[in-house]
Amino acid sequence: MLDIKRLRSEPDEIRRSLERRGIEVPLDEFIELDAKRRELIVEAEEKKALRNRVSDEIAAAKRSGEDASGKIQEMKKVGERIKALDTLLRDIERELDAIVLELPNPPLADVPDGCDETENRLIRTWGEPRRFDYEPRPHWELGARLDIIDQERGAKVAESRFTLLKGPGARLERSLISFFLNLHTQEHGYTELFPPILVNSDSMQGTGQLSKFAHQEMYRLRDDDLYLNPTAEVPVTNIYRDEMLAEEELPISVTAYLPSFRREAGAAGRDTRGLIRQHQFNKVELVKFVKPENSGAELERLTADAEEVLKRLELPFRTVALCTGDLGFASAKTYDLEVWLPSYNDYKEISSCSNFLDFQARRLSIRYRPASGGRPRFVHTLNGSGLAVGRTFAAIIENYQNEEGTVTVPEALRHYMGADMIE
RNA sequence: GGAGAGGUGGCAGAGCUGGUUGAAUGCGGCGGUCUCGAAAACCGUUGUGCCCUUUCGCGGGGCACCGAGGGUUCGAAUCCCUCCCUCUCCGCCA
């Protein structure tokens, strides 16, 4: 959520930066409603002050046995007026909220301009895509032949885009999760969490998942105000909702493995085969709560922490900075990590690392009190995948495949797999 | 799922026969006295949000907040309703 005071004090600056995302800010409407709101507040508060004062007089009068019925009658009218003003005010604030909640985070200055992913900026590449002297097989073919990925039975149990992993496949999934968590907790300083997998609408609202368009992406329970977790960002970032942190606690770095669920509405026909786009997928998430002045540097660190996973697995990847048109709603700056996938003959997103500045913290009301005293300040929040497990699974199967259809287990995973070959 | 108890300031804990209670008291925190310094003791201070005002420097005034949302009332932490959460006992269960 944007800072309303900023929208009021520097509207043109915000309008310009949101135009970079192709968003038209209904500024006139906002300014008009905002002025009306303050007008109503002034009158309502004057009336309330009057009522408080006269109510004290009534109390005093009753104590000394005087008649106060005139004042009581008078305050009855004032009370009705207050009720009317409060109703008006609530309606106006609803309208204002509707405007402000639909406004995305203005991009940081160094975010490249652009309409879609074709205009993202390449930051760096790591590793060389392997050259095959035969036609490499896609992971879904290899997985089916090795009998470690069974999409038909996954669909039988649930529906399409759900997958059954078997034997070494199931173990590879588990190995990846353990490997990711161990790396981040033991070497990168993150604290491991395991949050609830169902989240309520307050939590969804807080991290910005419930905007008008995202709504249909989520699985919602019919009988409860709960959703299946769409990304661990939601339950993890919400752990400190409505809290005041101590400055000494910051930065807080947490990591969590969590199954994630998305309806993939509107994705029909895209990535239909294999593990790339599933309704249920595993993910290890990295989340940081930091002081505002450090969030820029922390995004670089968090991105490096995610990249390290791919380096240890020796999977070729590249890092791109998302352009303004590709940026998520709540993010002010995002790096995507893209892993090389032979079946796509291209790089494919495997992690997304974002700096939300105070956008989420403001909506979630996560603040900290500076050790030197003074006003509480909003923290900055960041998060990134470290990594998406299913896509890593696919990348390993494809990049480490052998001509006869077996898969060599990456060095870093052999300890977890208890094997150096899937065959 | 059934029965009961409860949710108050950073924490602990009063108030809950409606009216100087934004809230006693204790602890913690901050400032001061004392001390070479510290502890102890004593004195003072101590929430958040919003609105108005401001010589924009700290400031001044007002409104709201005692789990959340409604209601009754001139007036509610205190009464009523709904919801959420916590605890105890029973049942059930991994």
Side-chain angles (χ1 to χ4, degrees):
Chain A
M1 182 169 75
L2 277 176
D3 184 357
I4 290 188
K5 283 186 193 149
R6 241 185 96 202
L7 195 50
R8 198 183 284 153
S9 63
E10 44 193 68
D12 292 321
E13 192 173 307
I14 289 185
R15 192 213 308 259
R16 267 195 301 278
S17 63
L18 286 181
E19 273 169 1
R20 294 181 59 209
R21 302 179 67 131
I23 301 290
E24 198 68 48
V25 183
L27 206 58
D28 294 339
E29 195 187 340
F30 170 83
I31 288 169
E32 194 183 315
L33 285 169
D34 185 56
K36 184 75 186 160
R37 166 178 175 263
R38 282 183 288 169
E39 205 177 286
L40 286 169
I41 286 174
V42 170
E43 192 190 341
E45 290 193 352
E46 275 171 4
K47 292 281 190 293
K48 285 177 186 172
L50 172 68
R51 182 178 67 183
N52 288 343
R53 201 166 52 242
V54 176
S55 286
D56 283 347
E57 290 170 18
I58 291 168
K62 287 207 165 178
R63 263 197 301 275
S64 59
E66 293 167 33
D67 173 57
S69 55
K71 282 177 172 170
I72 289 175
Q73 283 310 311
E74 196 187 328
M75 285 308 103
K76 210 169 186 134
K77 287 202 195 77
V78 172
E80 278 160 19
R81 177 65 183 156
I82 288 172
K83 194 174 270 186
L85 288 167
D86 279 345
T87 304
L88 279 171
L89 192 57
R90 205 182 51 226
D91 292 345
I92 297 251
E93 286 183 336
R94 257 188 213 139
E95 286 182 62
L96 275 170
D97 280 351
I99 291 174
V100 175
L101 286 175
E102 287 300 321
L103 294 179
N105 207 353
L108 286 171
D110 62 349
V111 171
D113 283 300
C115 298
D116 55 40
E117 69 271 12
T118 60
E119 295 182 81
N120 293 340
R121 180 189 294 156
L122 178 65
I123 302 295
R124 56 188 158 260
T125 61
W126 186 93
E128 279 288 317
R130 173 180 159 196
R131 263 196 289 277
F132 292 88
D133 45 22
Y134 62 97
E135 185 62 31
R137 299 186 181 89
H139 68 275
W140 53 89
E141 268 183 43
L142 289 159
R145 286 163 73 129
L146 290 165
D147 197 26
I148 60 173
I149 298 175
D150 187 339
Q151 302 204 275
E152 281 171 27
R153 290 198 176 99
K156 173 160 66 179
V157 171
E159 59 177 37
S160 72
R161 291 195 198 272
F162 285 88
T163 294
L164 170 70
L165 299 176
K166 295 167 72 176
R171 179 141 185 190
L172 177 57
E173 186 84 359
R174 176 163 58 90
S175 296
L176 287 169
I177 294 163
S178 295
F179 167 63
F180 294 173
L181 288 171
N182 287 350
L183 177 63
H184 295 312
T185 55
Q186 290 165 13
E187 299 187 41
H188 297 156
Y190 291 77
T191 301
E192 183 174 347
L193 303 177
F194 192 82
I197 300 175
L198 296 180
V199 295
N200 60 32
S201 53
D202 282 347
S203 296
M204 291 285 251
Q205 194 70 251
T207 36
Q209 260 74 22
L210 275 196
S211 77
K212 224 187 292 178
F213 308 104
H215 209 109
Q216 55 195 349
E217 237 340 80
M218 312 306 157
Y219 284 101
R220 189 173 59 210
L221 300 207
R222 192 184 54 198
D223 296 329
D224 301 275
D225 176 35
L226 291 169
Y227 297 77
L228 260 65
N229 165 63
T231 162
E233 169 192 352
V234 177
V236 173
T237 309
N238 271 282
I239 60 180
Y240 294 122
R241 171 152 46 92
D242 296 321
E243 289 196 35
M244 183 83 73
L245 305 171
E247 179 171 357
E248 308 82 68
E249 293 178 79
L250 302 176
I252 295 172
S253 301
V254 291
T255 182
Y257 150 68
L258 206 64
S260 306
F261 301 86
R262 296 186 190 168
R263 298 185 59 236
E264 296 298 342
R270 286 172 62 197
D271 307 310
T272 48
R273 287 181 297 182
L275 304 176
I276 300 306
R277 192 173 297 275
Q278 296 279 292
H279 288 312
Q280 173 186 332
F281 59 99
N282 289 317
K283 195 149 66 85
V284 169
E285 195 77 7
L286 305 173
V287 176
K288 283 174 183 269
F289 304 84
V290 309
K291 291 194 258 179
E293 58 271 29
N294 298 334
S295 66
E298 290 284 5
L299 177 63
E300 302 302 321
R301 282 187 52 190
L302 185 142
T303 305
D305 292 337
E307 287 176 346
E308 184 62 24
V309 177
L310 290 167
K311 291 180 182 173
R312 298 283 177 104
L313 292 173
E314 298 179 78
L315 290 169
F317 70 91
R318 68 180 185 190
T319 302
V320 300
L322 297 193
C323 69
T324 51
D326 207 19
L327 211 55
F329 178 80
S331 176
K333 180 177 179 177
T334 297
Y335 291 119
D336 270 9
L337 272 50
E338 301 178 336
V339 70
W340 178 257
L341 269 192
S343 62
Y344 280 64
N345 195 36
D346 199 358
Y347 290 95
K348 184 75 183 172
E349 177 188 341
I350 197 166
S351 171
S352 195
C353 304
S354 301
N355 183 359
F356 303 102
L357 304 178
D358 64 1
F359 190 85
Q360 289 182 331
R362 185 176 301 282
R363 204 184 274 206
L364 291 163
S365 186
I366 305 176
R367 296 173 296 171
Y368 76 97
R369 189 182 297 286
S372 57
R375 314 256 87 188
R377 304 172 69 194
F378 289 107
V379 300
H380 281 192
T381 59
L382 304 96
N383 83 296
S385 353
L387 305 164
V389 179
R391 291 188 179 184
T392 309
F393 188 118
I396 286 170
I397 298 294
E398 293 193 9
N399 283 287
Y400 280 87
Q401 65 177 283
N402 303 305
E403 189 163 6
E404 69 275 17
T406 60
V407 174
T408 303
V409 174
E411 193 71 45
L413 291 177
R414 289 185 188 167
H415 161 72
Y416 294 92
M417 285 295 288
D420 52 14
M421 192 73 81
I422 299 173
E423 49 200 338

